[in-house]
Every structure is written in C-alpha cells, then in structure tokens.
mmCIF file of all heavy atoms in Angstrom:
data_model
loop_
_atom_site.group_PDB
_atom_site.id
_atom_site.type_symbol
_atom_site.label_atom_id
_atom_site.label_comp_id
_atom_site.label_asym_id
_atom_site.label_seq_id
_atom_site.Cartn_x
_atom_site.Cartn_y
_atom_site.Cartn_z
ATOM 1 N N LEU A 9 91.953 95.507 100.674
ATOM 2 C CA LEU A 9 92.437 95.298 102.040
ATOM 3 C C LEU A 9 92.853 93.860 102.288
ATOM 4 O O LEU A 9 93.732 93.583 103.087
ATOM 5 C CB LEU A 9 91.355 95.700 103.050
ATOM 6 C CG LEU A 9 91.013 97.179 103.123
ATOM 7 C CD1 LEU A 9 89.841 97.389 104.059
ATOM 8 C CD2 LEU A 9 92.208 97.989 103.571
ATOM 9 N N ARG A 10 92.208 92.907 101.596
ATOM 10 C CA ARG A 10 92.538 91.501 101.794
ATOM 11 C C ARG A 10 93.967 91.178 101.392
ATOM 12 O O ARG A 10 94.577 90.265 101.911
ATOM 13 C CB ARG A 10 91.600 90.631 100.960
ATOM 14 C CG ARG A 10 90.457 90.097 101.749
ATOM 15 C CD ARG A 10 89.595 89.262 100.890
ATOM 16 N NE ARG A 10 88.357 90.045 100.812
ATOM 17 C CZ ARG A 10 87.445 89.920 99.910
ATOM 18 N NH1 ARG A 10 87.577 89.038 98.979
ATOM 19 N NH2 ARG A 10 86.363 90.638 99.938
ATOM 20 N N ASN A 11 94.503 91.950 100.439
ATOM 21 C CA ASN A 11 95.852 91.663 99.924
ATOM 22 C C ASN A 11 96.960 92.282 100.749
ATOM 23 O O ASN A 11 98.130 92.036 100.485
ATOM 24 C CB ASN A 11 95.942 92.139 98.475
ATOM 25 C CG ASN A 11 94.987 91.380 97.580
ATOM 26 O OD1 ASN A 11 94.665 90.225 97.840
ATOM 27 N ND2 ASN A 11 94.515 92.017 96.544
ATOM 28 N N ILE A 12 96.622 93.098 101.716
ATOM 29 C CA ILE A 12 97.639 93.691 102.579
ATOM 30 C C ILE A 12 98.069 92.640 103.591
ATOM 31 O O ILE A 12 97.235 92.066 104.298
ATOM 32 C CB ILE A 12 97.087 94.955 103.281
ATOM 33 C CG1 ILE A 12 96.768 96.028 102.241
ATOM 34 C CG2 ILE A 12 98.086 95.463 104.312
ATOM 35 C CD1 ILE A 12 96.077 97.233 102.810
ATOM 36 N N ASP A 13 99.364 92.392 103.668
ATOM 37 C CA ASP A 13 99.881 91.348 104.545
ATOM 38 C C ASP A 13 100.168 91.909 105.932
ATOM 39 O O ASP A 13 101.317 92.016 106.353
ATOM 40 C CB ASP A 13 101.135 90.735 103.933
ATOM 41 C CG ASP A 13 101.588 89.502 104.684
ATOM 42 O OD1 ASP A 13 100.741 88.857 105.323
ATOM 43 O OD2 ASP A 13 102.797 89.197 104.641
ATOM 44 N N ALA A 14 99.112 92.294 106.617
ATOM 45 C CA ALA A 14 99.232 92.824 107.974
ATOM 46 C C ALA A 14 97.949 92.516 108.725
ATOM 47 O O ALA A 14 96.856 92.643 108.162
ATOM 48 C CB ALA A 14 99.477 94.321 107.948
ATOM 49 N N PRO A 15 98.047 92.130 109.975
ATOM 50 C CA PRO A 15 96.823 91.832 110.746
ATOM 51 C C PRO A 15 96.116 93.096 111.248
ATOM 52 O O PRO A 15 94.965 93.039 111.646
ATOM 53 C CB PRO A 15 97.331 90.986 111.909
ATOM 54 C CG PRO A 15 98.751 91.443 112.097
ATOM 55 C CD PRO A 15 99.252 91.812 110.738
ATOM 56 N N LEU A 16 96.832 94.231 111.229
ATOM 57 C CA LEU A 16 96.256 95.484 111.727
ATOM 58 C C LEU A 16 96.536 96.577 110.695
ATOM 59 O O LEU A 16 97.687 96.830 110.349
ATOM 60 C CB LEU A 16 96.876 95.862 113.080
ATOM 61 C CG LEU A 16 96.322 97.097 113.766
ATOM 62 C CD1 LEU A 16 94.848 96.900 114.154
ATOM 63 C CD2 LEU A 16 97.147 97.409 115.012
ATOM 64 N N ILE A 17 95.478 97.207 110.219
ATOM 65 C CA ILE A 17 95.575 98.268 109.220
ATOM 66 C C ILE A 17 95.010 99.533 109.848
ATOM 67 O O ILE A 17 93.916 99.517 110.400
ATOM 68 C CB ILE A 17 94.776 97.886 107.958
ATOM 69 C CG1 ILE A 17 95.285 96.566 107.375
ATOM 70 C CG2 ILE A 17 94.827 99.017 106.927
ATOM 71 C CD1 ILE A 17 94.365 95.895 106.404
ATOM 72 N N VAL A 18 95.771 100.622 109.770
ATOM 73 C CA VAL A 18 95.347 101.869 110.396
ATOM 74 C C VAL A 18 95.214 102.956 109.335
ATOM 75 O O VAL A 18 96.140 103.199 108.563
ATOM 76 C CB VAL A 18 96.350 102.329 111.482
ATOM 77 C CG1 VAL A 18 95.836 103.565 112.198
ATOM 78 C CG2 VAL A 18 96.626 101.196 112.467
ATOM 79 N N PHE A 19 94.054 103.608 109.327
ATOM 80 C CA PHE A 19 93.796 104.730 108.423
ATOM 81 C C PHE A 19 93.746 106.023 109.239
ATOM 82 O O PHE A 19 93.471 105.986 110.433
ATOM 83 C CB PHE A 19 92.455 104.552 107.711
ATOM 84 C CG PHE A 19 92.433 103.441 106.698
ATOM 85 C CD1 PHE A 19 91.501 102.423 106.786
ATOM 86 C CD2 PHE A 19 93.331 103.429 105.642
ATOM 87 C CE1 PHE A 19 91.474 101.400 105.842
ATOM 88 C CE2 PHE A 19 93.307 102.412 104.694
ATOM 89 C CZ PHE A 19 92.385 101.395 104.802
ATOM 90 N N PRO A 20 93.974 107.155 108.588
ATOM 91 C CA PRO A 20 93.874 108.435 109.305
ATOM 92 C C PRO A 20 92.450 108.651 109.859
ATOM 93 O O PRO A 20 91.499 107.997 109.417
ATOM 94 C CB PRO A 20 94.172 109.469 108.220
ATOM 95 C CG PRO A 20 94.931 108.733 107.180
ATOM 96 C CD PRO A 20 94.390 107.327 107.210
ATOM 97 N N GLU A 21 92.343 109.605 110.769
ATOM 98 C CA GLU A 21 91.032 109.941 111.299
ATOM 99 C C GLU A 21 90.104 110.383 110.171
ATOM 100 O O GLU A 21 90.537 110.961 109.179
ATOM 101 C CB GLU A 21 91.127 111.037 112.348
ATOM 102 C CG GLU A 21 91.476 112.393 111.759
ATOM 103 C CD GLU A 21 91.460 113.519 112.786
ATOM 104 O OE1 GLU A 21 91.747 113.297 113.979
ATOM 105 O OE2 GLU A 21 91.171 114.655 112.365
ATOM 106 N N LEU A 22 88.844 110.064 110.334
ATOM 107 C CA LEU A 22 87.797 110.508 109.414
ATOM 108 C C LEU A 22 88.183 110.271 107.957
ATOM 109 O O LEU A 22 87.961 111.112 107.085
ATOM 110 C CB LEU A 22 87.469 111.990 109.674
ATOM 111 C CG LEU A 22 87.046 112.302 111.108
ATOM 112 C CD1 LEU A 22 86.990 113.816 111.324
ATOM 113 C CD2 LEU A 22 85.733 111.641 111.474
ATOM 114 N N CYS A 23 88.749 109.112 107.690
ATOM 115 C CA CYS A 23 89.248 108.806 106.352
ATOM 116 C C CYS A 23 88.117 108.691 105.326
ATOM 117 O O CYS A 23 88.376 108.705 104.130
ATOM 118 C CB CYS A 23 90.093 107.537 106.356
ATOM 119 S SG CYS A 23 89.168 106.028 106.652
ATOM 120 N N PHE A 24 86.891 108.627 105.782
ATOM 121 C CA PHE A 24 85.760 108.512 104.878
ATOM 122 C C PHE A 24 85.383 109.858 104.238
ATOM 123 O O PHE A 24 84.502 109.908 103.384
ATOM 124 C CB PHE A 24 84.521 107.975 105.605
ATOM 125 C CG PHE A 24 84.777 106.748 106.438
ATOM 126 C CD1 PHE A 24 84.227 106.632 107.698
ATOM 127 C CD2 PHE A 24 85.548 105.694 105.979
ATOM 128 C CE1 PHE A 24 84.437 105.490 108.474
ATOM 129 C CE2 PHE A 24 85.776 104.566 106.737
ATOM 130 C CZ PHE A 24 85.222 104.462 107.989
ATOM 131 N N PHE A 25 86.005 110.938 104.683
ATOM 132 C CA PHE A 25 85.623 112.283 104.251
ATOM 133 C C PHE A 25 86.803 112.980 103.575
ATOM 134 O O PHE A 25 87.956 112.872 104.043
ATOM 135 C CB PHE A 25 85.151 113.103 105.456
ATOM 136 C CG PHE A 25 84.087 112.401 106.227
ATOM 137 C CD1 PHE A 25 84.389 111.678 107.371
ATOM 138 C CD2 PHE A 25 82.768 112.400 105.790
ATOM 139 C CE1 PHE A 25 83.418 110.989 108.067
ATOM 140 C CE2 PHE A 25 81.785 111.708 106.476
ATOM 141 C CZ PHE A 25 82.110 110.993 107.625
ATOM 142 N N THR A 26 86.529 113.710 102.506
ATOM 143 C CA THR A 26 87.564 114.441 101.789
ATOM 144 C C THR A 26 88.320 115.357 102.742
ATOM 145 O O THR A 26 87.715 116.198 103.397
ATOM 146 C CB THR A 26 86.939 115.257 100.635
ATOM 147 O OG1 THR A 26 86.197 114.369 99.803
ATOM 148 C CG2 THR A 26 88.031 115.942 99.823
ATOM 149 N N ASN A 27 89.615 115.146 102.828
ATOM 150 C CA ASN A 27 90.484 115.900 103.736
ATOM 151 C C ASN A 27 90.024 115.856 105.191
ATOM 152 O O ASN A 27 90.386 116.721 105.975
ATOM 153 C CB ASN A 27 90.622 117.358 103.266
ATOM 154 C CG ASN A 27 91.294 117.451 101.924
ATOM 155 O OD1 ASN A 27 92.233 116.711 101.646
ATOM 156 N ND2 ASN A 27 90.813 118.323 101.070
ATOM 157 N N GLY A 28 89.217 114.883 105.551
ATOM 158 C CA GLY A 28 88.751 114.751 106.930
ATOM 159 C C GLY A 28 87.783 115.813 107.353
ATOM 160 O O GLY A 28 87.520 115.978 108.543
ATOM 161 N N VAL A 29 87.194 116.515 106.397
ATOM 162 C CA VAL A 29 86.280 117.617 106.701
ATOM 163 C C VAL A 29 84.849 117.093 106.753
ATOM 164 O O VAL A 29 84.351 116.495 105.814
ATOM 165 C CB VAL A 29 86.385 118.744 105.659
ATOM 166 C CG1 VAL A 29 85.351 119.829 105.923
ATOM 167 C CG2 VAL A 29 87.790 119.320 105.657
ATOM 168 N N VAL A 30 84.205 117.353 107.890
ATOM 169 C CA VAL A 30 82.813 116.968 108.095
ATOM 170 C C VAL A 30 81.961 118.218 107.942
ATOM 171 O O VAL A 30 82.073 119.152 108.717
ATOM 172 C CB VAL A 30 82.621 116.355 109.502
ATOM 173 C CG1 VAL A 30 81.155 116.100 109.789
ATOM 174 C CG2 VAL A 30 83.437 115.077 109.630
ATOM 175 N N SER A 31 81.106 118.238 106.918
ATOM 176 C CA SER A 31 80.291 119.427 106.679
ATOM 177 C C SER A 31 78.868 119.258 107.210
ATOM 178 O O SER A 31 78.299 120.203 107.743
ATOM 179 C CB SER A 31 80.271 119.784 105.191
ATOM 180 O OG SER A 31 79.918 118.664 104.423
ATOM 181 N N SER A 32 78.313 118.081 107.076
ATOM 182 C CA SER A 32 76.972 117.803 107.606
ATOM 183 C C SER A 32 77.084 116.639 108.587
ATOM 184 O O SER A 32 77.427 115.518 108.197
ATOM 185 C CB SER A 32 76.018 117.418 106.463
ATOM 186 O OG SER A 32 74.850 116.813 106.989
ATOM 187 N N LEU A 33 76.772 116.911 109.830
ATOM 188 C CA LEU A 33 76.949 115.879 110.859
ATOM 189 C C LEU A 33 75.995 114.707 110.657
ATOM 190 O O LEU A 33 76.396 113.553 110.801
ATOM 191 C CB LEU A 33 76.772 116.491 112.245
ATOM 192 C CG LEU A 33 77.925 117.398 112.658
ATOM 193 C CD1 LEU A 33 77.563 118.214 113.885
ATOM 194 C CD2 LEU A 33 79.178 116.580 112.918
ATOM 195 N N GLU A 34 74.757 114.974 110.336
ATOM 196 C CA GLU A 34 73.793 113.878 110.121
ATOM 197 C C GLU A 34 74.252 112.994 108.953
ATOM 198 O O GLU A 34 74.199 111.780 109.033
ATOM 199 C CB GLU A 34 72.390 114.436 109.870
ATOM 200 C CG GLU A 34 71.791 115.156 111.071
ATOM 201 C CD GLU A 34 71.477 114.258 112.256
ATOM 202 O OE1 GLU A 34 71.411 113.018 112.108
ATOM 203 O OE2 GLU A 34 71.315 114.799 113.366
ATOM 204 N N ARG A 35 74.694 113.626 107.883
ATOM 205 C CA ARG A 35 75.187 112.876 106.721
ATOM 206 C C ARG A 35 76.473 112.126 107.088
ATOM 207 O O ARG A 35 76.685 111.000 106.646
ATOM 208 C CB ARG A 35 75.428 113.835 105.544
ATOM 209 C CG ARG A 35 75.955 113.167 104.319
ATOM 210 C CD ARG A 35 74.876 112.391 103.583
ATOM 211 N NE ARG A 35 75.450 111.793 102.389
ATOM 212 C CZ ARG A 35 75.407 110.496 102.119
ATOM 213 N NH1 ARG A 35 74.760 109.682 102.916
ATOM 214 N NH2 ARG A 35 75.968 110.017 101.038
ATOM 215 N N ALA A 36 77.312 112.726 107.904
ATOM 216 C CA ALA A 36 78.563 112.086 108.307
ATOM 217 C C ALA A 36 78.295 110.793 109.090
ATOM 218 O O ALA A 36 79.025 109.814 108.937
ATOM 219 C CB ALA A 36 79.406 113.045 109.145
ATOM 220 N N VAL A 37 77.257 110.798 109.905
ATOM 221 C CA VAL A 37 76.895 109.585 110.647
ATOM 222 C C VAL A 37 76.489 108.489 109.664
ATOM 223 O O VAL A 37 76.911 107.334 109.796
ATOM 224 C CB VAL A 37 75.767 109.882 111.659
ATOM 225 C CG1 VAL A 37 75.207 108.595 112.254
ATOM 226 C CG2 VAL A 37 76.247 110.819 112.751
ATOM 227 N N GLN A 38 75.710 108.835 108.654
ATOM 228 C CA GLN A 38 75.276 107.862 107.644
ATOM 229 C C GLN A 38 76.460 107.310 106.854
ATOM 230 O O GLN A 38 76.580 106.099 106.672
ATOM 231 C CB GLN A 38 74.267 108.498 106.686
ATOM 232 C CG GLN A 38 72.966 108.869 107.316
ATOM 233 C CD GLN A 38 72.089 109.676 106.355
ATOM 234 O OE1 GLN A 38 72.531 110.154 105.323
ATOM 235 N NE2 GLN A 38 70.816 109.816 106.718
ATOM 236 N N VAL A 39 77.329 108.208 106.391
ATOM 237 C CA VAL A 39 78.505 107.793 105.606
ATOM 238 C C VAL A 39 79.403 106.901 106.450
ATOM 239 O O VAL A 39 79.889 105.874 105.986
ATOM 240 C CB VAL A 39 79.272 109.025 105.076
ATOM 241 C CG1 VAL A 39 80.639 108.632 104.521
ATOM 242 C CG2 VAL A 39 78.450 109.760 104.034
ATOM 243 N N SER A 40 79.615 107.277 107.705
ATOM 244 C CA SER A 40 80.458 106.467 108.604
ATOM 245 C C SER A 40 79.924 105.054 108.724
ATOM 246 O O SER A 40 80.672 104.077 108.595
ATOM 247 C CB SER A 40 80.540 107.125 109.977
ATOM 248 O OG SER A 40 81.232 108.344 109.935
ATOM 249 N N THR A 41 78.634 104.928 108.945
ATOM 250 C CA THR A 41 78.009 103.604 109.093
ATOM 251 C C THR A 41 78.136 102.788 107.817
ATOM 252 O O THR A 41 78.472 101.598 107.853
ATOM 253 C CB THR A 41 76.521 103.764 109.480
ATOM 254 O OG1 THR A 41 76.458 104.526 110.690
ATOM 255 C CG2 THR A 41 75.852 102.426 109.688
ATOM 256 N N GLN A 42 77.917 103.422 106.659
ATOM 257 C CA GLN A 42 78.044 102.722 105.384
ATOM 258 C C GLN A 42 79.472 102.250 105.138
ATOM 259 O O GLN A 42 79.696 101.128 104.671
ATOM 260 C CB GLN A 42 77.590 103.634 104.243
ATOM 261 C CG GLN A 42 76.119 103.922 104.262
ATOM 262 C CD GLN A 42 75.724 105.062 103.313
ATOM 263 O OE1 GLN A 42 76.575 105.785 102.808
ATOM 264 N NE2 GLN A 42 74.424 105.199 103.079
ATOM 265 N N MET A 43 80.440 103.083 105.457
ATOM 266 C CA MET A 43 81.827 102.740 105.204
ATOM 267 C C MET A 43 82.312 101.626 106.140
ATOM 268 O O MET A 43 83.110 100.779 105.720
ATOM 269 C CB MET A 43 82.719 103.977 105.308
ATOM 270 C CG MET A 43 82.460 104.997 104.203
ATOM 271 S SD MET A 43 82.553 104.305 102.529
ATOM 272 C CE MET A 43 84.288 103.949 102.406
ATOM 273 N N VAL A 44 81.845 101.620 107.361
ATOM 274 C CA VAL A 44 82.177 100.520 108.265
ATOM 275 C C VAL A 44 81.689 99.203 107.690
ATOM 276 O O VAL A 44 82.410 98.195 107.673
ATOM 277 C CB VAL A 44 81.610 100.759 109.677
ATOM 278 C CG1 VAL A 44 81.653 99.492 110.513
ATOM 279 C CG2 VAL A 44 82.361 101.884 110.378
ATOM 280 N N SER A 45 80.487 99.199 107.164
ATOM 281 C CA SER A 45 79.945 97.985 106.535
ATOM 282 C C SER A 45 80.794 97.560 105.342
ATOM 283 O O SER A 45 81.071 96.374 105.156
ATOM 284 C CB SER A 45 78.500 98.208 106.084
ATOM 285 O OG SER A 45 77.683 98.438 107.191
ATOM 286 N N LEU A 46 81.222 98.518 104.554
ATOM 287 C CA LEU A 46 82.052 98.221 103.395
ATOM 288 C C LEU A 46 83.400 97.643 103.798
ATOM 289 O O LEU A 46 83.863 96.652 103.222
ATOM 290 C CB LEU A 46 82.233 99.486 102.558
ATOM 291 C CG LEU A 46 82.906 99.332 101.207
ATOM 292 C CD1 LEU A 46 82.139 98.366 100.318
ATOM 293 C CD2 LEU A 46 83.023 100.687 100.536
ATOM 294 N N ILE A 47 84.027 98.218 104.801
ATOM 295 C CA ILE A 47 85.313 97.691 105.292
ATOM 296 C C ILE A 47 85.131 96.259 105.797
ATOM 297 O O ILE A 47 85.956 95.385 105.532
ATOM 298 C CB ILE A 47 85.909 98.597 106.377
ATOM 299 C CG1 ILE A 47 86.439 99.890 105.741
ATOM 300 C CG2 ILE A 47 87.039 97.898 107.139
ATOM 301 C CD1 ILE A 47 86.872 100.954 106.729
ATOM 302 N N SER A 48 84.036 96.003 106.504
ATOM 303 C CA SER A 48 83.774 94.644 106.996
ATOM 304 C C SER A 48 83.704 93.644 105.844
ATOM 305 O O SER A 48 84.208 92.525 105.953
ATOM 306 C CB SER A 48 82.466 94.601 107.783
ATOM 307 O OG SER A 48 82.568 95.349 108.948
ATOM 308 N N VAL A 49 83.085 94.041 104.750
ATOM 309 C CA VAL A 49 82.999 93.176 103.575
ATOM 310 C C VAL A 49 84.390 92.925 102.994
ATOM 311 O O VAL A 49 84.736 91.809 102.651
ATOM 312 C CB VAL A 49 82.067 93.788 102.507
ATOM 313 C CG1 VAL A 49 82.161 93.048 101.175
ATOM 314 C CG2 VAL A 49 80.625 93.786 103.005
ATOM 315 N N PHE A 50 85.216 93.987 102.919
ATOM 316 C CA PHE A 50 86.558 93.851 102.354
ATOM 317 C C PHE A 50 87.436 92.912 103.174
ATOM 318 O O PHE A 50 88.283 92.227 102.615
ATOM 319 C CB PHE A 50 87.253 95.199 102.236
ATOM 320 C CG PHE A 50 86.806 96.004 101.036
ATOM 321 C CD1 PHE A 50 86.443 97.323 101.194
ATOM 322 C CD2 PHE A 50 86.761 95.441 99.766
ATOM 323 C CE1 PHE A 50 86.035 98.067 100.097
ATOM 324 C CE2 PHE A 50 86.358 96.185 98.667
ATOM 325 C CZ PHE A 50 85.993 97.500 98.831
#
C-alpha cells in the first residue's frame, strides 16, 4: 500500500473475506479487527 501513489485507497466491501462472504459473525469481527491493524501497519 505504501507504493501506491494516491492519498485515498478504496477496497470493495468486506474485502477481508473470500468473495465478501461472512460465514461466522463472531469470527468476522475478529478478522476485521486484525485486518484493520494490518492495514494501519502498511
């Protein structure tokens, strides 16, 4: 993400999930939180 020359980067909805499909809501909350942390690092 650092190499993209744009100040605003937009991903599709629920991009953390295969084809945007949420199968387990509790797990989806955990994955979402982890991925936000990862994006912040990037």
Side-chain angles (χ1 to χ4, degrees):
L9 292 174
R10 263 180 247 161
N11 297 331
I12 296 173
D13 189 25
L16 184 64
I17 302 163
V18 184
F19 290 124
E21 71 175 30
L22 303 170
C23 69
F24 311 137
F25 307 98
T26 304
N27 296 321
V29 175
V30 173
S31 52
S32 164
L33 289 167
E34 294 293 343
R35 179 76 179 124
V37 170
Q38 293 172 347
V39 169
S40 293
T41 302
Q42 292 168 347
M43 293 307 291
V44 166
S45 295
L46 188 59
I47 288 172
S48 294
V49 169
F50 281 131

